[in-house]
Amino acid sequence: MNFPPAGILLLECTLPGKNCDFSGQTRLLALITPCSKSGGDASQEILCYKEMRHSLILDLQSVVAVVGRLKRGDRWYIVDRTGGLIKPEFVPPVAEWDGQEVEAVENV
């Protein structure tokens, strides 16, 4: 699969089924690749990383903020211009499927 230069891939998807809260709805999904960096606040300090985690697809409505990155040598530096006003947190979504609550789990 060829990705655009910035590594951003957006998908328009009509969800199948009849028993889910989102059945029949058209959703915008984004393919993202989180970095392997835990802790720290890139809006307050300079943070860098070398490795990425596995890509995942999420509903674009769940995106709170977008940050950039800049490569220097073998490291990527996070460019966060939010000024610390936004504190995003990855929380697996919970959905109802066939009347049962189902929690999405990230494979690591």
Side-chain angles (χ1 to χ4, degrees):
M1 179 179 284
N2 294 325
F3 295 105
I8 298 170
L9 180 63
L10 297 178
L11 306 166
E12 180 181 352
C13 179
T14 301
L15 302 175
K18 297 179 181 175
N19 299 325
C20 181
D21 294 341
F22 302 113
S23 293
Q25 292 185 14
T26 299
R27 309 297 282 189
L28 290 178
L29 306 175
L31 175 74
I32 65 167
T33 307
C35 65
S36 291
K37 180 70 183 165
S38 59
D41 183 347
S43 69
Q44 304 297 319
E45 59 184 299
I46 297 173
L47 295 179
C48 64
Y49 62 92
K50 288 184 177 182
E51 298 177 3
M52 303 293 283
R53 293 183 175 180
H54 295 286
S55 296
L56 57 100
I57 294 179
L58 55 82
D59 190 323
L60 200 54
Q61 283 187 315
S62 65
V63 175
V64 176
V66 178
V67 298
R69 63 183 182 160
L70 173 71
K71 188 171 186 178
R72 183 159 187 194
D74 64 343
R75 296 178 187 262
W76 286 94
Y77 290 84
I78 299 171
V79 179
D80 184 340
R81 304 292 299 246
T82 63
L85 298 174
I86 298 173
K87 301 290 183 201
E89 178 181 355
F90 181 75
V91 177
V94 175
E96 192 172 299
W97 188 262
D98 285 336
Q100 297 178 352
E101 195 172 271
V102 179
E103 184 171 333
V105 177
E106 178 183 359
N107 294 330
V108 180

